[in-house]
């Protein structure tokens, strides 16, 4: 028997595949998992190619341990997808594949058990035999149960008799039973009559079924975007297709999943996110890959789910930063979704009330087709947004008279309010007024935040925790204070002011687990809270029918931040959080406390004029040469000493300057804004170009050159293509 060579992608930080010998590999094994020796260990990889020869001398090649044929191979379009990501994001192919696979498939685990959809029915022969069987026999009880219920699953039959599983093969053989796999019932439950704009949007996308077209669905909060997605899913299922729906954080959006499964009770819905158990995640992945899932709903990682019948992609809240992975391969699931739609020749819908400026610019340029839902589906009107000028008013515990009065009104009327403060903890810092000491994190360029509830100081960047000291560690002064205000302190203040009110704080600390979070949402819905105190966690996609007032504290800092994306984020956050109010029959009001009531950002917000805001921002970005008018990539290095990181970047910069063309600019290395994180100093260097292909070509060469640079073991580097963080 001739042996062949397989090229295998392994989860190691090296750019190419590894060659192994195999006795029985054939072309069908491309995309299969294999187990191979690597160093002293065994690793699971994926076959990229089956080759006749290798550049490595034959005698040096090790044999494959096993080709794992227990599951079908990953299909060619999936391999092309991970290959694209590996090249575009300059990330090793083996690590890219490892990231795209559910953890259980990266190991040699037994494959997860797939849901059993077999249905058993009694045959004519079975009906004839039934009266002749001993009444209490297992066979008679099973057949009788099937006469009554028509069809039963294996599990249901086991409740009739524990011995059912053992008897079934025999009964099937005798022809008394028949087993069928029931086709899913893809019928949708009825939805509301669509508004004209919704119908136009649905028809527009549906006309693109079977070919690639990107759509930007720009709909104000509550305009019925989700309803549009549901109708499109219905249409795509009707054509025999699969739908892939990406949402920002599934843990935060149980309502979305419930809406999909309520609308399509018979469809096979797989949801994928990182907090699922390994077995369930692998099972969902394989079901989708085998074509046995109709709808895949998930967070960014689900963009890598293989789907043979893929007919539609949806990215809900496409502006959300969680679609961008911030470690390992720094991919944007939204951008990968668009690439995938193109690869597969299907439409993709990006939906948002506040699209990313990248997507908005693409729509303005005609590269994406814009679909607009300019009015709310149920509420009378958008909330009334007003600025409260706090230069003229003395604040009481951070709140203006105006806001306090508005809160009191809501309490009288039994309506809900939300006070939005995007800072969790009790206070951002603990300080000593006598010597000037402040609670700094020893590992980070950041303060330790005061969490009074459990008497801890906590770093929100590295997770470090310590007890709150009783005296100043520097001078011994016992009179040290929390400075500033976080959600815990606000909660305390409001409780003191409105002792009769039920106050509910909603931030990452108060909603740590899924079940607690569900409990919180439930309480809000049932009207068990009068005043919500919350961070941006509350801003995302929830419907709170009783909420009529949103107060915004301390938003101004973002107006003048060094990060050019800060205004975009602020606008979107405030529009989203404001959009929580007045979603049902009651009108909503949003009060923004600010020192800059005439700032164009707040004016656009008050006018609900996203387009004006976006146009102004895009013009400013164009002038300054920021994305989307340019394309960027960031080389980052981190090391125990800043000098090490900078020296590495300097060397990288020198090789970069030798490689770059005039179309690509390379800037000097600078420390990052959070320049120290978990005891590592961090610096970065920006590469930029007006041409994406030029930047891509440069990056490929540059990264290869950087791999050849000598660097200390303690130094880590990575490339972030289309970075969001600075
Ligand atoms: P979005 O996703 O844009 O925030 P949703 O799809 O959640 O909006 O719709 C907001 C509310 O309006 C939901 O309660 C939804 O059931 C309702 N809704 C959506 N479309 C319609 C319609 N055509 N007629 C009546 N109600 C609708
Ligand atoms: Zn002191
Ligand atoms: Zn820290």
């Amino acid at each position: 028997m001739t042996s062949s060579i397989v090229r295998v992608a392994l989860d190691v930080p090296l750019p190419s595949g590894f060659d192994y010998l195999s006795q029985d590999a054939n072309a069908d094994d491309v995309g299969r998992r294999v187990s191979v020796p690597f160093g002293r260990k065994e690793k699971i990889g994926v076959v990229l190619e089956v080759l006749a020869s290798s550049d490595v001398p034959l005698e040096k090649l090790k044999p494959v341990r096993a080709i794992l044929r227990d599951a079908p191979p990953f299909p060619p379009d999936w391999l092309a997808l991970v290959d694209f990501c590996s090249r575009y994001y300059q990330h090793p192919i083996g690590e890219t594949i490892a990231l795209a696979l559910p953890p259980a498939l990266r190991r040699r685990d037994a494959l997860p058990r797939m849901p059993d959809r077999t249905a058993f029915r009694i045959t004519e022969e079975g009906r004839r035999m039934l009266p002749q069987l001993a009444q209490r026999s297992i066979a008679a009880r099973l057949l009788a149960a099937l006469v009554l219920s028509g069809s039963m699953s294996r599990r249901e039959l086991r409740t009739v008799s524990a011995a059912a599983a053992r008897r079934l093969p025999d009964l099937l053989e005798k022809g008394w039973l028949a087993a069928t796999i029931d086709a899913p019932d893809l019928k949708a439950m009825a939805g509301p009559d669509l508004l004209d704009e919704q119908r136009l949007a649905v028809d527009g996308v549906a006309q693109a079924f079977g070919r690639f077209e990107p759509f930007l669905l720009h709909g104000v909060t509550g305009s019925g975007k989700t309803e549009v997605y549901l109708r499109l899913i219905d249409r795509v299922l009707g054509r025999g297709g699969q739908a892939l729906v990406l949402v920002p954080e599934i843990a935060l959006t149980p309502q979305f999943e419930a809406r999909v499964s309520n609308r399509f009770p018979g469809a096979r819905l797989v949801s994928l996110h990182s907090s699922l158990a390994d077995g369930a995640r692998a099972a969902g992945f394989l079901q989708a890959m085998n074509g046995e899932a109709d709808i895949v709903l998930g967070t960014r990682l689900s963009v890598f789910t293989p789907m043979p019948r893929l007919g539609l992609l949806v990215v809900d809240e496409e502006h959300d930063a969680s679609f961008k992975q911030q470690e390992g391969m720094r991919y944007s699931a939204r951008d990968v979704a668009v690439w995938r739609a193109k690869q597969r020749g299907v439409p993709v819908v990006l939906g948002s009330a506040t699209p990313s400026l990248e997507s908005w610019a693409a729509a303005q340029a005609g590269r994406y087709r814009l679909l607009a839902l300019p009015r709310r589906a149920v509420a009378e009107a958008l909330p009334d947004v007003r600025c409260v000028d706090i230069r003229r008013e003395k604040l009481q515990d951070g709140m203006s008279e105006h806001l306090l009065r508005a809160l009191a009104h809501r309490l009288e009327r039994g309506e809900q309010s939300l006070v939005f403060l995007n800072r969790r903890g009790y206070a951002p810092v603990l300080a000593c007024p006598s010597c000037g000491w402040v609670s700094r994190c020893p590992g980070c360029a950041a303060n330790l935040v005061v969490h009074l509830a459990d008497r801890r100081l906590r770093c929100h960047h590295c997770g470090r925790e310590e007890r709150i000291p009783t005296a100043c560690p520097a001078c011994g002064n016992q009179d040290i204070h929390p400075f500033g205000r976080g959600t815990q302190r606000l909660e305390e203040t409001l409780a003191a002011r409105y002792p009769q009110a039920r106050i509910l704080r909603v931030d990452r600390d108060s909603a740590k687990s899924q079940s607690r979070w569900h409990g919180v949402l439930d309480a809000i819905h049932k009207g068990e809270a009068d005043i919500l105190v919350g961070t941006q966690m509350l801003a995302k996609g929830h419907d709170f029918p009783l909420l009529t007032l949103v107060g915004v504290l301390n938003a101004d800092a973002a107006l003048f931040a060094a990060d050019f994306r800060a205004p975009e984020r602020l606008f979107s956050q405030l529009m989203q959080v404001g959009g929580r109010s007045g979603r049902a029959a009651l009108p909503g009001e949003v009060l923004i406390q600010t020192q800059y009531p005439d700032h164009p950002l707040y004016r656009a917000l008050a006018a609900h004029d996203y387009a004006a805001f976006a146009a102004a921002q895009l013009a400013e970005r164009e002038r300054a040469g920021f994305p989307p008018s340019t394309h960027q990539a960031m080389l980052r290095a981190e090391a125990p000493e800043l000098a090490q990181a900078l020296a590495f970047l300097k060397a990288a910069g020198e090789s970069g300057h030798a490689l770059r063309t005039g179309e690509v600019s390379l800037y000097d290395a600078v420390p990052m804004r959070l320049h120290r994180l978990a005891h590592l100093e961090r610096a970065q260097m920006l590469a930029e170009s007006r041409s994406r292909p030029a930047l891509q070509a440069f990056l490929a060469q540059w990264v290869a050159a950087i791999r050849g640079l000598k660097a200390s073991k303690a130094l880590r580097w990575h490339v972030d293509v289309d970075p969001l963080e600075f």
Side-chain angles (χ1 to χ4, degrees):
M1 191 168 180
T2 59
S3 61
S4 47
I5 289 152
V6 291
R7 183 157 293 165
V8 177
L10 291 174
D11 184 9
V12 291
L14 292 169
S16 54
F18 297 84
D19 291 354
Y20 288 88
L21 282 175
S22 168
Q23 293 300 319
D24 65 341
N26 60 57
D28 290 345
D29 291 321
V30 171
R32 276 216 159 86
R33 292 151 70 235
V34 283
S35 129
V36 295
F38 189 82
R40 287 210 205 118
K41 287 193 232 140
E42 171 178 322
K43 271 191 176 289
I44 299 296
V46 170
V47 177
L48 296 173
E49 287 175 274
V50 178
L51 304 160
S53 67
S54 168
D55 300 338
V56 184
L58 270 184
E59 61 277 14
K60 290 210 167 163
L61 291 179
K62 291 190 188 150
V64 161
R65 292 235 172 102
I67 298 181
L68 307 180
R69 296 198 172 98
D70 50 355
F74 303 122
D77 73 284
W78 187 84
L79 292 171
L81 171 70
V82 288
D83 179 61
F84 161 75
C85 289
S86 161
R87 282 182 289 108
Y88 185 82
Y89 292 107
Q90 308 296 331
H91 201 69
I93 181 68
E95 289 188 343
T96 304
I97 286 181
L99 173 141
L101 289 177
L105 296 181
R106 297 173 211 158
R107 300 185 300 255
R108 199 177 175 166
D109 294 10
L111 289 185
R113 275 246 288 271
M114 307 286 271
D116 180 2
R117 298 186 196 280
T118 317
F120 296 89
R121 287 191 182 75
I122 184 166
T123 59
E124 281 310 308
E125 180 67 12
R127 281 178 197 277
R128 248 203 345 265
M129 292 309 295
L130 182 54
Q132 304 171 33
L133 299 173
Q135 245 184 35
R136 315 268 304 267
S137 71
I138 296 166
R141 276 157 51 205
L142 294 174
L143 292 179
L146 285 169
V147 168
L148 281 177
S149 62
S151 136
M152 291 172 92
S153 70
R154 212 178 289 270
R155 174 140 40 105
E156 288 163 340
L157 285 170
R158 262 207 303 274
T159 64
V160 177
S161 160
R166 256 183 298 126
R167 291 289 284 136
L168 284 174
D170 174 45
L171 298 177
L172 284 167
E173 177 130 336
K174 287 195 168 102
W176 299 355
L177 292 186
T180 50
I181 306 273
D182 276 346
D185 176 3
L186 298 177
K187 237 184 25 262
M189 305 303 277
D193 288 337
L194 293 183
L195 304 172
D196 289 345
E197 307 89 279
Q198 285 175 313
R199 185 168 301 114
L200 279 175
V202 171
D203 289 342
V205 178
Q207 274 159 22
F209 281 150
R211 65 184 160 84
F212 169 61
E213 187 166 359
F215 294 89
L216 179 61
L217 178 63
H218 176 222
V220 298
T221 51
S223 60
K225 293 184 290 296
T226 311
E227 189 56 44
V228 170
Y229 308 148
L230 293 172
R231 298 303 171 103
L232 286 169
I233 293 171
D234 186 20
R235 299 251 195 128
V236 92
L237 297 185
R239 294 168 45 96
Q242 293 172 298
L244 173 59
V245 182
L246 304 187
V247 294
E249 286 169 63
I250 216 159
L252 303 187
T253 49
Q255 288 179 66
F256 199 109
E257 203 182 329
R259 269 177 89 175
V260 175
S261 62
N262 289 341
R263 183 62 64 88
F264 304 101
R268 297 162 302 183
L269 170 66
V270 157
S271 65
L272 292 174
H273 50 90
S274 57
S275 50
L276 277 184
D278 282 0
R281 206 171 130 193
F285 185 94
L286 291 173
Q287 262 171 276
M289 176 164 114
N290 297 342
E292 288 165 27
D294 304 303
I295 306 166
V296 175
L297 173 67
T299 52
R300 63 170 178 261
L301 55 86
S302 58
V303 76
F304 295 112
T305 316
M307 298 173 71
R309 298 183 282 115
L310 182 64
L312 170 74
L313 291 103
V314 172
V315 184
D316 186 34
E317 309 288 356
E318 66 90 33
H319 64 279
D320 197 279
S322 75
F323 287 120
K324 170 90 174 168
Q325 167 126 328
Q326 301 287 16
E327 59 187 28
M329 183 169 81
R330 288 155 166 83
Y331 67 97
S332 154
R334 175 193 68 216
D335 297 351
V336 173
V338 174
W339 188 88
R340 215 176 156 188
K342 185 166 186 186
Q343 175 201 29
R344 298 290 297 270
V346 300
V348 54
V349 181
L350 311 179
S352 177
T354 53
S356 66
L357 289 175
E358 281 79 2
S359 299
W360 185 253
Q364 297 298 310
R367 281 184 289 119
Y368 294 176
R369 192 150 119 216
L370 185 64
L371 305 168
L373 305 178
R375 55 184 169 133
R376 286 186 151 186
V378 271
E380 299 292 302
L382 287 163
D384 185 13
V385 179
R386 259 178 299 161
C387 285
V388 178
D389 187 346
I390 56 171
R391 288 169 307 185
R392 287 154 222 261
E393 237 188 281
K394 198 164 155 355
L395 297 183
Q396 305 165 45
D397 298 313
M399 282 170 288
S400 59
E401 189 54 47
H402 198 118
L403 176 57
L404 290 170
R405 260 202 321 266
L407 283 168
H409 272 144
R410 294 319 187 280
L411 285 173
E412 279 162 27
R413 296 208 298 253
E415 296 169 12
Q416 262 172 356
S417 310
L418 159 64
V419 186
F420 178 72
L421 175 62
N422 213 357
R423 194 192 274 155
R424 67 198 167 87
Y426 185 83
V429 72
L430 187 69
C432 169
S434 87
C435 79
W437 172 87
V438 291
S439 55
R440 301 282 293 169
C441 174
C444 301
N447 291 330
L448 292 171
V449 176
V450 184
H451 286 249
L452 214 52
D454 48 359
R455 303 208 54 81
R456 313 287 286 171
L457 293 176
R458 252 189 217 117
C459 176
H460 287 186
H461 299 281
C462 72
R464 183 194 168 89
E465 284 196 21
E466 39 189 77
R467 285 186 61 87
I468 294 180
T470 48
C472 171
C475 73
N477 173 18
Q478 298 201 342
D479 194 21
I480 50 179
H481 302 293
F483 269 79
R485 187 172 294 103
T487 46
Q488 286 177 11
R489 189 174 211 166
L490 187 56
E491 179 189 15
E492 186 184 277
T493 308
L494 287 166
R497 249 175 207 285
Y498 306 107
Q500 78 285 16
R502 296 162 301 172
I503 297 173
L504 183 63
R505 175 167 53 85
V506 188
D507 55 24
R508 235 178 323 142
D509 301 318
S510 72
K512 271 196 184 109
S513 67
Q514 279 244 38
S515 58
R516 271 177 78 177
W517 172 245
H518 287 211
V520 164
L521 289 180
D522 217 40
I524 300 176
H525 271 270
K526 291 195 188 129
E528 290 167 4
D530 302 309
I531 304 180
L532 314 174
V533 176
T535 59
Q536 58 169 350
M537 254 192 110
L538 271 181
K540 290 182 190 177
H542 302 288
D543 256 333
F544 300 136
L546 301 175
L547 184 73
T548 60
L549 171 69
V550 175
V552 176
L553 310 189
N554 284 10
D556 286 345
L559 294 176
F560 308 103
D563 179 354
F564 69 87
R565 289 187 211 272
E568 178 183 355
R569 271 197 300 269
L570 176 65
F571 186 88
S572 137
Q573 229 170 49
L574 295 186
M575 197 163 222
Q576 300 279 350
V577 80
R580 298 312 115 211
S581 77
R583 280 172 69 101
L586 306 166
E589 181 178 21
V590 180
L591 295 176
I592 301 171
Q593 294 193 167
T594 172
Q595 303 195 34
Y596 309 93
D598 296 323
H599 194 284
L601 188 149
Y602 292 138
R603 295 200 148 192
L605 205 61
H608 304 284
D609 197 347
Y610 167 83
F613 169 75
Q617 280 290 307
L618 285 172
E620 213 170 303
R621 298 234 191 135
E622 171 74 42
R623 267 197 307 279
F626 287 135
S629 68
T630 57
H631 305 281
Q632 298 184 326
M634 200 65 93
L635 172 65
R636 299 202 186 96
E638 49 184 48
E641 303 293 331
L642 185 60
Q644 291 171 303
L646 289 172
F648 176 82
L649 291 178
K650 187 155 176 281
E654 278 160 16
S655 61
H657 279 294
L659 291 168
R660 82 186 169 93
T661 62
E663 282 183 289
V664 176
S665 316
L666 202 53
Y667 293 83
D668 287 342
V670 290
M672 289 180 67
R673 207 143 23 98
L674 182 67
H675 61 86
R676 190 172 156 81
L677 175 65
H679 297 282
L680 290 174
E681 296 288 338
R682 316 194 303 161
Q684 62 187 5
M685 173 177 260
L686 176 66
E688 191 177 75
S689 177
R690 294 231 166 220
S691 151
R692 202 192 283 277
L695 182 63
Q696 277 291 307
F698 166 72
L699 287 176
Q701 291 187 305
W702 193 32
V703 168
I706 295 169
R707 286 214 169 86
L709 292 178
K710 280 216 159 47
S712 103
K713 270 221 159 65
L715 185 133
R716 295 264 173 285
W717 63 272
H718 69 259
V719 177
D720 187 348
V721 180
D722 307 325
L724 289 183
E725 273 188 349
F726 284 86

